[in-house]
Amino acid sequence: MKLLKKLLVVLFAATLLAGCSDGEAPAEVVETVAESLDLSQVEAKDFTGQTVTILVGFNPGGGTDTSARLINKYLSKHLPGNPNVIVQNMSGAAGIRALNYAYEGARPDGMTILFAPISLLVPLLGEPGIRYELDKFEVVGGLRSGPIMQFARQDLDSAQLVDPAAISGANDLVLGGIRTSSSLDLMPRLAFDSLGLDYRYVTGYSSENTVRNAIQTNEINSFGGTFSGYRSAVVSTLIEPGIVAPLWHFPYRDAEGNYPRASFAADIPTYMEVYEQIKGEAPSGEYWDALQLALDLRSVADNMLLAPPSTDPAALKALREAFDMAVVDQEMVDEVTGVLGYFYEVVPLNYIRQRFEETANVDLETVEFIKEYIAED
Amino acid sequence: MLADLLNGFLLVMQWPTIGFLFLGVLFGIFLGILPGLGVIIGLVVLLPFTFGMDPVAAFALLLGMYAVTSTSDTIASVMLGVPGTSASQATILDGYPLAQQGHAARALGAAFTTSAFGGVFGALVLALSLPLIRPVIQSFSSPEIFMLGVLGLTMVGSLSGGNMFKGLAVAALGLLMSTVGYSDSGAIPRYYFGVDYLIDGLPLIPVVLGLFALPELMELAIRNISISRKDNEEVEGGGILDGVKDACRNWWLAVRCATIGTYIGMLPGLGSSIVDWLAYGHAVQSSKDNSKFGKGDIRGVIAPEAANNATRGGSLLPTVAFGVPGSLGAAILLGALLIVGLKPGPEMLTTELDTTFSMVWSIAIANILAAILLIFSAKHVAKLAFLPGHMIVPAIIMFVFMGAWLGGGHIGDWVACITMGFVGFFMKRGNWPRPPLVLALVLGSIMENAYLLTGRVYDGLEWMQRPIVIIIGIVVLCTIGFVIRGMLMQKSKEKGLEKGGGKPPADRAEGSPIFSLPLSVLFITIFLVAAILAGDWPNSVKQFPILLGAIGALFVFIVLIQDGLEFRSLLSSEGGLVPALRGATKEALFIKAMLFMLGLIVMVLVMLVIGQKLALPLFISFYLAVWGGYGLRTCLIYSTCAWVFMIGFYDRVMHLFWYPSWLSQKLPGLMPEGFPLWLFV
């Protein structure tokens, strides 16, 4: 019932959005759906002497925190009045606590914004403790920091695993994971199941670090990992010493609905490519439907900068403009590339909006299927 | 290799690298001293400065900080009996009694000397045994990690107090407490009773501070005694140099413990969390005369301090070479090093060996620097032990509550801290050891994961046939056997004394069945209820809690019988329940202790209205004036200093998330534009 209600709200918002983009929505409705505010007439706020806080829902030193700390300086540089921009960590409930706070606790004056990894799937799965509605947030900007990758030990088969398609002949597959509800578990599981592979699923490693250690000790022989982990540690400690090989990556969906290789990992095939190579046809079946949905809902933007609902339009405009200028600032590009080894892909706002709207039309049966799939142990 | 060793040294010695190393050391010392701060907070503050820095200089800054927090955290352990970080728990067993006897300076001197030695030793020994590292690490999978946890808990459970069953029961309780909230693997939150705060589990730092610091503060506040129970003039010897001499005299113990620290500390999973206990256990078991341990034996300080600093250096190499951090701290350090440009991998041991050695040198030099700085300041620090309690309590209260707040920034952190303060008070009075609870809380989720993973990867009892599992199992059994033998010997000694007409030694001074028995009843209820509540959960979520419920209940049951017997004999000797109760509560200053706790609770309630920046200084003034009887001037100066520190450090430097109090919601509307609100709310 709750889910249905939520979907109705989203649906309602979506129809309004569709209307507004044509410029036909009545003025009083526009105010209720701030996403559609026309900011072109608004004058950007001057932040002189203020302090803007970027909330991060995770501990310091992790991927999200690092990105937030790379961005804050450049937001300060490009915001009118060059305010002090600081990062505050408010970790808890896998980021949900900070999302809740930004949604219901923070003042909508543009002085508190949230930098968070956003999955549209999480709210649909109805995790306990969620009190926010994603589509009510004001999106300042979105960034992609690379697709989820899947790896396997090279000595899986008697022969060296050179061709990812050889995975179909591997015996004794053991897939390691972190938590049943994590994308790093869900996608590789669905990928193996969709291929009809026989494997043992061992989850509960406390972090990507521990998973990488387990594949070194041969306790597991396949795992899904983040792109930043791939660039910073997997290549040098696992791939170059010849212990593991990348199998595939789970690509982003583009605006046309296709799944090209992600620009980040252009030298590594997508899961769909390997599937076709093994099966001789495009992926299909209930596991595939679930995987596709998970992919679509995750691949909007890996991280978004969000402002609380109904944030002051003048502040919002200034934030968006500053974000847009920051991500093309060569100084920031150089610094991020220096730290991460690559630069983000900037996701346009209208693409994010379009994808937010689509969640209204999500196939509920598939969502239910994923829920049960996660719950089975 | 020798060339690389030299090149690494030269890299560190370059300007400004050595300057950054020095800065890192200073900052690390500061972090280690304050309760609740540590490596994680240090990285938060330092990381923004490292972006764009030359990698070697950035490494030096971070490593300098990282290497020495476990040196300076000894101060809190020795002076207050509060484990400064989870690495220095074992130090309190003997360090704090030494401070109480007026020997704080000696304990600190010995600790800093062995810390420096351990830090240098660990880094260099590991550098020299590089080829060994990989095979050792790779033989540690989930079953071995689980068994290491069992070993650590057995050590702490059997060594940290008189009664082994109490120790083991508390360890089981700590493990059970670690299962609150989401398990790492399952999708069902456990034992959270609808409270959002508990969904994430009980955070370590508020629990530690509540459990250890609040009961000690209560004591200082109520009796207005100094940390040292003796006056400055009464104490003979016990200077810093005596401590340094102690360290030198026990050099062989330090070498052995540093070796333990180096090699156990590098093991992935939980090696570094248990080294100080393994080292302490080794010191006790290898000493001919171990009767003084736990009552102020300097060897009980030397052993863990040598080990925990060796760990910092030792765990670095596997972290950078294989990307396998040995501990949470090392994992966070790895994350930070990646950001500043480290590319971990086998090249770190071949083509990049000079960089690796520069990191090893950084740690070694940092350890020596820190020890020198601290030894020179230890004289002044140790004087704190002779200050009257009322002068110390307010400052520590501020650090304790801000420390508890730091990690999560949630009002629940303060509630948890005060609740554990109550528990800690009863445990202390009832002679229940507290360290096992903390170690178990640290190890809990790692052990549960390793336990479940073992079940998923291996069929049946196959995992028990792995050689390292068998070896660790034997060590566990030997430890228990050793303790039981000690208990039996103690018994026969007492009997001998009784026969000879002497009195049995009264080491039950602090433990009273009046306080112990209610805890036994409470704990056994918790274990049983926890096991019953777990019944309906999915298999992976319920296995561990049910196992703990059963084991814990068994241990407490044994304690319950002992307590019951003692309770009965107490009743007969005191002549009834009422006089016995009155005697025990009077001796424990129960009423005053509860008043003190009430004061803290009121402070928290006031904080909800006016926020931390005003409530804590207000509490300090109130405490000094009402409880301490000091004049207005003292109160004002003291609380202003506290307020300045809160604004200057926690607000301006750390960008702490403050509690959104009622006042902080109202004040912005009342004050003119440009009013510096951050000074008050």
Side-chain angles (χ1 to χ4, degrees):
Chain A
M1 253 336 266
K2 224 170 129 193
L3 186 73
L4 198 68
K5 210 168 133 192
K6 201 177 276 176
L7 280 174
L8 276 175
V9 173
V10 178
L11 204 68
F12 176 65
T15 40
L16 287 178
L17 284 174
C20 296
S21 57
D22 293 335
E24 290 169 0
E28 65 270 24
V29 183
V30 172
E31 280 185 14
T32 65
V33 185
E35 197 65 75
S36 59
L37 271 177
D38 180 9
L39 294 178
S40 60
Q41 303 302 315
V42 180
E43 195 176 334
K45 176 178 171 172
D46 187 350
F47 282 86
T48 306
Q50 314 267 38
T51 297
V52 176
T53 302
I54 304 181
L55 279 179
V56 169
F58 297 87
N59 278 324
T64 308
D65 179 70
T66 305
S67 288
R69 285 171 196 279
L70 284 167
I71 291 167
N72 70 336
K73 187 158 75 177
Y74 297 97
L75 270 188
S76 164
K77 179 175 166 188
H78 293 287
L79 275 172
N82 307 107
N84 193 14
V85 181
I86 58 170
V87 173
Q88 247 180 8
N89 302 86
M90 187 199 246
S91 58
I96 291 174
R97 180 172 164 222
L99 273 158
N100 281 341
Y101 178 79
Y103 183 77
E104 61 191 13
R107 293 165 172 279
D109 55 5
M111 311 287 278
T112 308
I113 48 181
L114 172 75
F115 188 72
I118 296 297
S119 161
L120 304 184
L121 184 60
V122 173
L124 289 178
L125 294 178
E127 297 229 1
I130 292 184
R131 293 195 297 273
Y132 60 85
E133 288 176 45
L134 264 187
D135 53 301
K136 294 272 177 67
F137 281 110
E138 309 284 6
V139 182
V140 176
L143 295 172
R144 283 176 178 168
S145 44
I148 289 179
M149 315 264 302
Q150 192 168 351
F151 309 91
R153 272 187 78 97
Q154 290 196 359
D155 56 6
L156 253 185
D157 220 1
S158 50
Q160 289 268 310
L161 189 78
V162 185
D163 179 10
I167 192 82
S168 62
N171 297 318
D172 298 325
L173 269 176
V174 184
L175 174 68
I178 292 172
R179 188 174 54 246
T180 46
S181 57
S182 160
S183 296
L184 296 183
D185 281 43
L186 183 63
M187 290 193 194
R189 274 178 77 194
L190 287 167
F192 275 177
D193 278 328
S194 180
L195 278 168
L197 297 181
D198 187 24
Y199 67 98
R200 195 193 276 235
Y201 169 49
V202 177
T203 194
Y205 291 100
S206 52
S207 66
E208 278 195 80
N209 266 325
T210 359
V211 173
R212 293 200 285 263
N213 186 32
I215 205 164
Q216 287 209 29
T217 64
N218 211 357
E219 193 165 272
I220 57 170
N221 49 38
S222 178
F223 74 96
T226 57
F227 188 75
S228 60
Y230 165 69
R231 286 299 296 259
S232 64
V234 175
V235 171
S236 60
T237 61
L238 293 173
I239 294 181
E240 281 170 2
I243 300 170
V244 311
L247 288 174
W248 50 65
H249 71 270
F250 296 100
Y252 296 104
R253 198 182 82 179
D254 66 12
E256 286 78 45
N258 301 317
Y259 300 93
R261 284 189 185 187
S263 58
F264 297 89
D267 52 338
I268 293 166
T270 65
Y271 170 69
M272 294 73 157
E273 288 176 56
V274 179
Y275 186 100
E276 279 204 50
Q277 200 185 336
I278 294 172
K279 299 269 182 185
E281 57 179 16
S284 61
E286 56 180 354
Y287 291 116
W288 164 248
D289 291 342
L291 178 56
Q292 193 182 13
L293 181 71
L295 264 178
D296 289 357
L297 292 177
R298 184 188 176 274
S299 67
V300 179
D302 298 315
N303 283 296
M304 290 186 203
L305 198 57
L306 300 174
S310 0
T311 289
D312 169 25
L316 185 62
K317 178 170 184 173
L319 286 166
R320 280 187 183 156
E321 286 176 354
F323 180 85
D324 289 344
M325 282 188 278
V327 291
V328 293
D329 185 333
Q330 193 55 40
E331 217 181 302
M332 171 165 166
V333 174
D334 289 344
E335 184 165 348
V336 172
T337 313
V339 169
L340 300 179
Y342 57 91
F343 191 69
Y344 311 107
E345 197 177 293
V346 182
V347 187
L349 276 187
N350 52 13
Y351 174 81
I352 295 178
R353 269 185 217 144
Q354 176 203 332
R355 300 292 297 277
F356 268 30
E357 289 165 33
E358 284 172 21
T359 40
N361 309 319
V362 156
D363 178 16
L364 288 181
E365 270 181 42
T366 312
V367 171
E368 210 45 48
F369 176 84
I370 294 180
K371 261 190 191 173
E372 283 166 23
Y373 186 73
I374 289 175
E376 78 188 35
D377 207 322
Chain B
M1 183 150 146
L2 270 179
D4 291 314
L5 197 66
L6 187 67
N7 280 341
F9 183 70
L10 294 178
L11 276 176
V12 180
M13 280 299 165
Q14 271 167 6
W15 189 259
T17 306
I18 186 75
F20 280 116
L21 182 66
F22 194 72
L23 273 181
V25 169
L26 285 181
F27 190 54
I29 290 177
F30 172 72
L31 292 172
I33 292 174
L34 293 191
L37 299 177
V39 170
I40 300 180
I41 305 292
L43 292 174
V44 183
V45 179
L46 289 186
L47 267 181
F49 298 106
T50 58
F51 289 149
M53 256 167 78
D54 168 55
V56 176
F59 292 161
L61 180 67
L62 296 174
L63 289 174
M65 184 274 295
Y66 176 75
V68 305
T69 50
S70 60
T71 308
S72 57
D73 68 0
T74 313
I75 293 178
S77 310
V78 170
M79 305 292 287
L80 293 169
V82 182
T85 58
S86 58
S88 57
Q89 279 191 64
T91 313
I92 62 175
L93 287 191
D94 284 288
Y96 189 50
L98 278 169
Q100 289 180 326
Q101 292 155 21
H103 291 290
R106 178 176 162 217
L108 291 176
F112 296 148
T113 313
T114 36
S115 287
F117 166 75
V120 176
F121 182 87
L124 296 182
V125 161
L126 211 61
L128 296 175
S129 55
L130 283 179
L132 274 178
I133 302 173
R134 188 167 205 133
V136 171
I137 288 181
Q138 295 209 336
S139 53
F140 269 77
S141 294
S142 301
E144 286 82 10
I145 292 176
F146 177 73
M147 285 304 287
L148 260 189
V150 172
L151 174 62
L153 290 179
T154 315
M155 284 278 182
V156 59
S158 54
L159 292 173
S160 58
N163 187 332
M164 182 174 77
F165 297 109
K166 278 186 176 173
L168 294 177
V170 171
L173 181 72
L175 289 178
L176 190 65
M177 281 167 66
S178 79
T179 66
V180 170
Y182 276 111
S183 69
D184 276 340
S185 61
I188 293 184
R190 297 176 287 194
Y191 308 123
Y192 78 111
F193 310 108
V195 180
D196 274 3
Y197 173 72
L198 291 176
I199 280 196
D200 267 340
L202 278 168
L204 179 69
I205 290 173
V207 171
V208 173
L209 292 175
L211 201 60
F212 286 91
L214 290 187
E216 297 316 320
L217 287 173
M218 243 184 255
E219 193 111 335
L220 295 180
I222 293 167
R223 302 183 201 252
N224 190 24
I225 42 174
S226 51
I227 294 168
S228 169
R229 306 300 190 245
K230 292 180 180 162
D231 279 341
N232 207 349
E233 292 78 33
E234 292 174 38
V235 181
E236 280 178 31
I240 298 155
L241 279 180
D242 294 298
V244 178
K245 277 183 207 152
D246 282 324
C248 298
R249 204 176 314 126
N250 290 296
W251 66 274
W252 178 231
L253 177 69
V255 168
R256 283 175 295 156
C257 291
T259 312
I260 293 176
T262 311
Y263 289 104
I264 306 288
M266 76 176 188
L267 298 176
L270 42 73
S272 67
S273 310
I274 62 170
V275 287
D276 58 329
W277 288 108
L278 295 189
Y280 187 82
H282 170 73
V284 175
Q285 292 171 2
S286 64
S287 301
K288 283 202 191 88
D289 171 24
N290 56 21
S291 60
K292 286 233 176 65
F293 277 99
K295 295 168 200 136
D297 191 317
I298 196 73
R299 289 171 298 178
V301 174
I302 290 172
E305 287 302 314
N308 66 25
N309 276 54
T311 299
R312 293 284 161 100
S315 64
L316 181 74
L317 286 169
T319 305
V320 300
F322 315 118
V324 180
S327 64
L328 182 65
I332 293 163
L333 178 75
L334 176 64
L337 294 179
L338 291 174
I339 292 172
V340 295
L342 175 81
K343 292 273 172 282
E347 305 85 68
M348 294 301 291
L349 301 183
T350 52
T351 49
E352 297 287 322
L353 192 58
D354 54 344
T355 310
T356 309
F357 275 129
S358 80
M359 297 168 91
V360 171
W361 279 115
S362 294
I363 289 197
I365 296 170
N367 270 296
I368 296 173
L369 269 177
I372 294 174
L373 285 172
L374 284 166
I375 283 179
F376 276 110
S377 53
K379 203 170 140 193
H380 306 288
V381 174
K383 276 188 196 141
L384 290 176
F386 299 103
L387 275 182
H390 288 328
M391 278 282 110
I392 297 186
V393 170
I396 307 292
I397 291 271
M398 181 186 81
F399 288 128
V400 163
F401 277 86
M402 290 316 295
W405 178 263
L406 273 176
H410 194 292
I411 187 66
D413 292 331
W414 282 21
V415 177
C417 183
I418 292 186
T419 311
M420 292 317 289
F422 275 108
V423 177
F425 174 77
F426 276 87
M427 288 178 80
K428 193 179 170 198
R429 289 278 169 255
N431 207 16
W432 285 80
R434 292 167 284 169
L437 194 142
V438 176
L439 187 68
L441 203 55
V442 174
L443 300 185
S445 70
I446 305 173
M447 284 182 67
E448 177 173 16
N449 277 1
Y451 175 79
L452 292 174
L453 289 168
T454 300
R456 286 178 186 142
V457 177
Y458 303 91
D459 295 316
L461 297 178
E462 187 190 14
W463 64 276
M464 285 194 169
Q465 293 155 23
R466 294 168 65 90
I468 297 182
V469 169
I470 296 175
I471 294 172
I472 302 178
I474 292 172
V475 179
V476 168
L477 292 179
C478 288
T479 303
I480 294 178
F482 181 85
V483 173
I484 291 180
R485 201 191 63 172
M487 284 162 83
L488 292 178
M489 275 165 65
Q490 180 80 12
K491 273 248 166 77
S492 64
K493 221 192 226 170
E494 283 174 22
K495 267 195 186 142
L497 280 173
E498 270 168 40
K499 270 183 194 161
K503 279 184 183 168
D507 50 342
R508 289 214 141 261
E510 282 205 302
S512 159
I514 299 279
F515 288 97
S516 179
L517 190 65
L519 280 186
S520 304
V521 175
L522 176 71
F523 290 165
I524 204 165
T525 317
I526 290 176
F527 282 122
L528 295 177
V529 169
I532 292 167
L533 284 179
D536 299 335
W537 296 338
N539 199 23
S540 70
V541 182
K542 76 178 177 188
Q543 270 184 38
F544 200 59
I546 289 184
L547 181 74
L548 291 171
I551 294 176
L554 178 73
F555 287 137
V556 183
F557 186 69
I558 299 172
V559 179
L560 201 59
I561 294 175
Q562 296 173 337
D563 277 350
L565 291 175
E566 276 186 37
F567 192 65
R568 216 179 54 183
S569 68
L570 185 80
L571 286 193
S572 62
S573 69
E574 294 274 337
L577 179 65
V578 180
L581 264 178
R582 197 175 291 151
T585 49
K586 195 176 164 198
E587 193 185 322
L589 297 167
F590 185 72
I591 308 290
K592 277 210 150 184
M594 291 304 111
L595 269 180
F596 182 79
M597 292 305 271
L598 185 71
L600 291 179
I601 293 172
V602 170
M603 188 269 289
V604 174
L605 293 177
V606 171
M607 190 285 287
L608 296 179
V609 181
I610 63 173
Q612 289 143 323
K613 291 178 186 172
L614 295 178
L616 278 170
L618 206 64
F619 175 81
I620 289 174
S621 285
F622 182 79
Y623 173 89
L624 287 172
V626 177
W627 199 296
Y630 286 93
L632 188 67
R633 224 172 81 98
T634 317
C635 299
L636 265 182
I637 294 174
Y638 203 131
S639 49
T640 309
C641 289
W643 177 76
V644 167
F645 188 85
M646 286 172 71
I647 304 293
F649 180 66
Y650 290 119
D651 190 274
R652 294 288 100 180
V653 177
M654 295 206 42
H655 303 311
L656 197 68
F657 177 84
W658 299 91
Y659 180 79
S661 62
W662 177 84
L663 193 65
S664 73
Q665 313 284 332
K666 289 284 159 204
L667 207 57
L670 299 174
M671 290 296 157
E673 186 91 8
F675 181 79
L677 286 167
W678 53 271
L679 284 174
F680 305 102
V681 290

